[in-house]
């Protein structure tokens, strides 16, 4: 075995509510979990402002604060929380292998996948150009809204995220224009009503983005079109926010795990088990229905319990087989 290979009982990939909850349970079951945080330590909730629906916080809590508390709780039980990005896995043999930052190789008895999901973009060249330049395109109002204080911004999307972000931006910005591609919201009634009742949010239904316009460095306007009339017009804006949903972060598993057509990992119903023995999934990587912090935490708990029981069953089978030969 090369010196660069580390053997662990339980490897947890990802650091959202699913990963940290799995870590708390696995650590308390003496599985000495090693958790890699990935590129966004704390996961999607670190980009959320107020979390008001996680039980136990009667006054609400900010996403980053909740994630710091979950991390501290996991570390209190000696979870080994590490910086690092799992870039490759190999689940083809008896040993589950994972590579961190292309170099370090880990052999794990059990693996809990909690890699979550990432923000989607429209895919327009102009959107990607200003995104890469850091010139006014963002998928996170809470992270970047501050930079657009007293300015005019545009936000795309009609789900709960878009409504939440539009409302957040309305408190910072002079004006928020919301582009909704259908003639209705997807968001829950309460979230949509909040947006509709906010004075400095203008909602344009049946409206899509034609181009993000700028001076080559920063965004200056957004050209939109009405998909019923094909009429185009420009909206002056210094910020362009995209809130159109998420993609599960499961690409590195696609050669080994069963995924659905949109890339979510398929688990055995009612469990966290994947099609590979000893590999479990929790959180948004497998959940396209609920996608809540509390459900992610719940499935993190399930994954740790499933992993512990799987390991115990394997160890006792090993003891039986070795005692037969002794
Ligand atoms: P959703 O998938 O619910 O909504 C995505 C929105 O983006 C839809 O309105 C969709 O339009 C629109 N959209 C998608 N692609 C495009 C495109 N190319 N151009 C324009 N618009 C587009 O994602 P969310 O991130 O909003 O929510 C995900 C889950 O998280 C949901 O279950 C939600 O309830 C939950 N959530 C809950 C919150 C809370 O309770 N505090 C806060 C945030 C999220 P269309 O409707 O036409 O398909």
């Amino acid at each position: 075995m090369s010196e660069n290979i580390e053997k662990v009982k339980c490897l947890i990939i990802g650091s959202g509510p699913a990963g940290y909850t799995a870590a708390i349970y696995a650590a308390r079951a003496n599985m000495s979990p090693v958790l890699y945080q990935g590129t966004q330590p704390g996961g999607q909730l670190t980009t959320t402002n107020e979390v008001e629906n996680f039980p136990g916080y009667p006054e609400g809590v900010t996403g980053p604060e909740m994630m710091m508390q979950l991390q501290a709780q996991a570390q209190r039980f000696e979870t080994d929380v590490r910086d690092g990005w799992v870039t490759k896995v190999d689940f083809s043999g008896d040993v589950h292998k994972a590579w961190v930052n292309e170099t370090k190789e880990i052999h794990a008895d059990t693996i809990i996948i909690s890699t979550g999901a990432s923000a989607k973009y429209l895919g327009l060249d102009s959107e990607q150009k200003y995104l890469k330049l850091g010139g006014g395109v963002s998928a996170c109002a809470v992270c970047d809204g501050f930079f657009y204080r007293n300015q005019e911004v545009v936000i795309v999307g009609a789900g709960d995220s878009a409504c939440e972000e539009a409302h957040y931006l309305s408190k910072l910005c002079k004006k928020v224009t919301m582009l909704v591609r259908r003639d209705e919201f997807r968001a829950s009634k309460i979230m949509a009503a909040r947006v509709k009742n906010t004075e400095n949010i203008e909602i344009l239904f049946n409206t899509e983005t034609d181009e993000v316009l700028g001076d080559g460095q920063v965004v200056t306007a957004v050209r939109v079109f009405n998909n019923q009339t094909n009429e185009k017009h420009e909206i002056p804006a210094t910020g362009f926010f995209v809130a159109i949903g998420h993609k599960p972060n499961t690409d590195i598993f696609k050669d080994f795990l069963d995924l659905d057509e949109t890339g979510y990992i398929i688990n055995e119903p009612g469990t966290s088990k994947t099609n590979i023995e000893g590999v479990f999934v929790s959180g948004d990587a497998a959940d396209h229905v609920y996608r809540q912090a509390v459900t992610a935490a719940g499935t993190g708990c399930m994954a740790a319990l499933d992993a512990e029981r799987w390991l115990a069953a394997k160890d006792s089978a090993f003891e039986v087989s070795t005692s037969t030969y002794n």
Side-chain angles (χ1 to χ4, degrees):
M1 227 184 233
S2 121
E3 275 181 24
N4 218 16
I5 296 178
E6 182 183 0
K7 186 144 183 17
V8 304
K9 246 189 198 175
C10 177
L11 173 67
I12 299 173
I13 310 175
S15 57
Y20 284 135
T21 306
I24 292 164
Y25 275 79
R28 288 170 58 84
N30 282 341
M31 292 173 79
S32 310
V34 170
L35 180 150
Y36 278 94
Q37 291 183 306
T39 51
Q40 191 179 24
Q44 286 181 71
L45 268 190
T46 53
T47 65
T48 295
N49 188 24
E50 202 65 15
V51 180
E52 293 182 325
N53 51 11
F54 199 92
Y57 294 97
E59 305 303 326
V61 60
T62 68
E65 194 185 336
M66 190 171 110
M67 295 321 299
M68 281 191 300
Q69 289 177 349
L70 276 174
Q71 178 175 341
Q73 195 174 353
Q75 285 175 316
R76 183 179 148 214
F77 299 110
E78 291 173 11
T79 300
D80 187 346
V81 176
R82 301 178 184 173
D83 284 339
W85 176 243
V86 174
T87 47
K88 192 172 87 167
V89 295
D90 181 353
F91 299 156
S92 61
D94 290 340
V95 180
H96 305 120
K97 299 177 183 171
W99 283 262
V100 182
N101 299 336
E102 306 280 357
T103 48
K104 185 177 178 61
E105 184 175 341
I106 296 198
H107 290 185
D109 292 333
T110 62
I111 293 191
I112 296 176
I113 297 168
S114 321
T115 47
S118 296
K120 282 189 200 164
Y121 289 90
L122 297 176
L124 294 170
D125 287 346
S126 52
E127 169 205 59
Q128 291 303 306
K129 173 179 157 186
Y130 288 106
L131 175 67
K132 287 188 187 114
L133 283 170
V137 173
S138 168
C140 177
V142 177
C143 317
D144 301 323
F146 185 76
F147 302 116
Y148 302 92
R149 275 171 305 161
N150 304 320
Q151 298 173 41
E152 298 190 9
V153 299
V154 167
I155 183 164
V156 186
D160 282 331
S161 300
C163 289
E164 193 176 72
E165 302 217 336
H167 190 252
Y168 179 82
L169 289 168
S170 73
K171 290 190 263 173
L172 294 168
C173 303
K174 195 154 63 172
K175 184 178 175 194
V176 178
T177 305
M178 195 167 186
L179 309 183
V180 175
R181 68 178 172 181
R182 290 186 293 137
D183 61 359
E184 60 177 0
F185 279 98
R186 177 177 294 275
S188 54
K189 284 200 168 57
I190 187 169
M191 302 286 267
R194 191 190 282 178
V195 164
K196 286 177 187 163
N197 294 332
T198 303
E199 213 172 299
N200 63 340
I201 300 180
E202 182 182 7
I203 304 160
L204 301 180
F205 288 101
N206 296 315
T207 303
E208 296 181 47
T209 311
D210 191 47
E211 210 69 75
V212 179
L213 306 172
D215 63 4
Q217 291 301 316
V218 294
V219 172
T220 54
V222 180
R223 188 166 65 229
V224 301
F225 67 98
N226 181 303
N227 56 27
Q228 304 296 301
T229 62
N230 274 331
E231 254 174 65
K232 292 185 182 178
H233 74 278
E234 286 181 18
I235 304 168
T238 48
F240 181 70
F241 288 86
V242 188
I244 60 168
H246 292 82
K247 175 187 179 302
N249 298 320
T250 56
D251 286 354
I252 58 167
F253 308 113
K254 67 178 187 310
D255 292 339
F256 305 100
L257 298 185
D258 292 340
L259 308 181
D260 73 9
E261 66 284 353
T262 41
Y264 287 93
I265 295 171
I266 298 172
N267 56 302
E268 190 182 295
T271 78
S272 66
K273 294 175 187 167
T274 68
N275 57 304
I276 299 282
E277 291 271 315
V279 178
F280 305 88
V281 64
S282 59
D284 288 11
D287 176 13
H288 54 91
V289 180
Y290 301 105
R291 296 185 285 197
Q292 299 299 300
V294 69
T295 49
T299 55
C301 159
M302 287 166 67
L305 293 178
D306 285 343
E308 182 202 352
R309 286 169 193 166
W310 181 83
L311 210 51
K314 196 172 158 233
D315 287 348
S316 61
F318 178 73
E319 276 163 25
V320 170
S321 72
T322 47
S323 64
T324 312
Y325 290 106
N326 286 338

